[in-house]
Amino acid sequence: MRKAGWTVLGAAVAGLVTGCAGNPPASQPPAGDSKPKVSQKVKRELPEGMHRLGQGVTTEEGAWKLTSSALTRVTPTSRAKGLPRGWRAAKMTWTLTNKTGEVQQLLDLSPTVRYGAMGRPAAAFTDTGIEGIPDAISDDPPRVKPGGAYTLAVGVAVPADAAGEPVTITTRPSTLFGDTGDVAFFEGPFPGGAARKDAVLHPRPAPDTGKALAFGQWKADPQMTVDHVRPEGTDGGRAMFSGELTVRNTAAVADLPYTPMKKSVRVSYGGELKEADLIPGGAGAADTGFIAPQRAATHAFRFALPKGAKADSVTVEVTDLGTAEAAFEGKIAD
């Protein structure tokens, strides 16, 4: 098995207020409002073309129907693999239905899973009854009969404080001939917490002064920022550091062109901007999935300084296919 590739409810109850004998009566609500209000789910509108978890879409020119389930909280067993310590665990299913009259090789969903307004990567895990996604690109892939369905159970994990945050999932099916163009975006809350009102990121871009932006500032076009640059110890005598690159897709609908995360990061230090490190192909190449409309994706990158080199601040350049898009500079956090 290949590892699975992968955040409620808001309640408002109005009670009856009554006065006590001998005391002045408390102010009474209108009679029509005297009954407790029923709790209601917090509804969050999605950009056009996105789907809520639990909905289905057709893909591959109608050859397949892809149906997701909502996320449900699970208690991991001792057999769980890939689950970070202290993270919350949930599972979901994907049902792939063969809509053709022929036996079909199972699609590879190639999902990308992010959580929260910043779009940080969720973790994938397997466990008893949660076997993840099988390798559909193999010599002996799973096959589905005409009209038949294949159900996958996958595990999704997020940090403990991310319960209630939205989980955004991007699927892009693959076949033996490579990736297809049928990108689909799904979103739903991670169980175990109240829905977050600030689930969607609305950055305020900094004015264009022609100078490098400070860490944490947002570039207007394309919308991106670099932040949380901090030391990570040493490796072979070289000082190691990490940072985060966040990119936001400003499109209003889920339509081409999408914003894929395939950006390179170049780190320089000192007054002469000596190159410290180059991280090609997507800030660590851990995730090159497309970004949903009006959503962000954050990727951690790691870099090193040469032996003996010291730097209180660094400059981080972001490029896309060799084209410079933004430069950020700032001090390295303690």
Side-chain angles (χ1 to χ4, degrees):
M1 293 291 178
R2 193 187 60 183
K3 70 177 183 179
W6 333 80
T7 259
V8 146
L9 295 176
V13 179
L16 294 174
V17 181
T18 58
C20 298
N23 293 329
S27 59
Q28 299 290 325
D33 293 337
S34 61
K35 294 183 180 180
K37 296 180 180 179
V38 178
S39 298
Q40 295 179 344
K41 291 184 178 180
V42 174
K43 295 183 179 180
R44 187 180 293 117
E45 295 298 327
L46 296 178
E48 182 180 345
M50 286 185 69
H51 311 280
R52 298 186 185 281
L53 286 178
Q55 294 181 329
V57 298
T58 57
T59 185
E60 304 306 295
E61 298 181 347
W64 290 90
K65 183 175 182 181
L66 172 61
T67 305
S68 66
S69 76
L71 287 159
T72 57
R73 183 83 179 271
V74 296
T75 300
T77 72
S78 60
R79 296 178 178 271
K81 296 181 180 180
L83 183 64
R85 183 182 298 274
W87 283 34
R88 297 198 180 196
K91 72 174 182 178
M92 64 175 297
T93 60
W94 294 93
T95 301
L96 285 80
T97 303
N98 180 4
K99 304 294 288 183
T100 74
E102 302 176 353
V103 174
Q104 294 285 340
Q105 175 181 319
L106 186 67
L107 283 178
D108 185 328
L109 291 182
S110 301
T112 301
V113 185
R114 306 182 177 106
Y115 72 91
M118 297 295 285
R120 291 187 167 88
F125 72 93
T126 59
D127 201 349
T128 302
I130 307 176
E131 298 183 349
I133 299 178
D135 189 357
I137 310 299
S138 65
D139 293 335
D140 187 23
R143 293 175 173 84
V144 184
K145 65 183 179 180
Y150 195 105
T151 299
L152 314 169
V154 300
V156 177
V158 301
D161 61 357
E165 292 193 357
V167 172
T168 307
I169 303 176
T170 304
T171 61
R172 189 183 190 189
S174 297
T175 68
L176 286 172
F177 306 102
D179 294 332
T180 72
D182 287 347
V183 179
F185 301 106
F186 299 83
E187 189 170 279
F190 194 92
R196 307 291 179 91
K197 294 181 179 180
D198 57 348
V200 179
L201 187 65
H202 297 286
R204 294 182 179 180
D208 185 3
T209 62
K211 299 180 181 180
L213 298 171
F215 291 158
Q217 287 187 314
W218 280 83
K219 182 176 174 61
D221 185 22
Q223 285 193 358
M224 65 174 68
T225 189
V226 169
D227 206 357
H228 303 112
V229 179
R230 53 175 59 96
E232 291 283 343
T234 59
D235 183 7
R238 298 191 306 168
M240 302 298 300
F241 304 86
S242 66
E244 288 185 341
L245 167 64
T246 303
V247 179
R248 182 174 180 269
N249 183 3
T250 58
V253 300
D255 197 4
L256 292 173
Y258 300 114
T259 306
M261 191 67 172
K262 295 183 178 180
K263 303 186 185 300
S264 298
V265 173
R266 184 189 305 274
V267 183
S268 304
Y269 69 100
E272 299 178 354
L273 294 183
K274 295 181 179 180
E275 184 174 315
D277 223 333
L278 173 64
I279 303 94
D287 178 4
T288 56
F290 289 104
I291 304 172
Q294 301 296 306
R295 299 298 185 264
T298 294
H299 300 264
F301 59 91
R302 300 182 75 238
F303 65 93
L305 292 180
K307 289 184 179 181
K310 295 182 179 180
D312 294 328
S313 62
V314 293
T315 298
V316 178
E317 300 171 86
V318 182
T319 64
D320 192 337
L321 298 178
T323 301
E325 289 193 327
F328 301 85
E329 63 181 8
K331 294 185 177 181
I332 297 173
D334 296 331

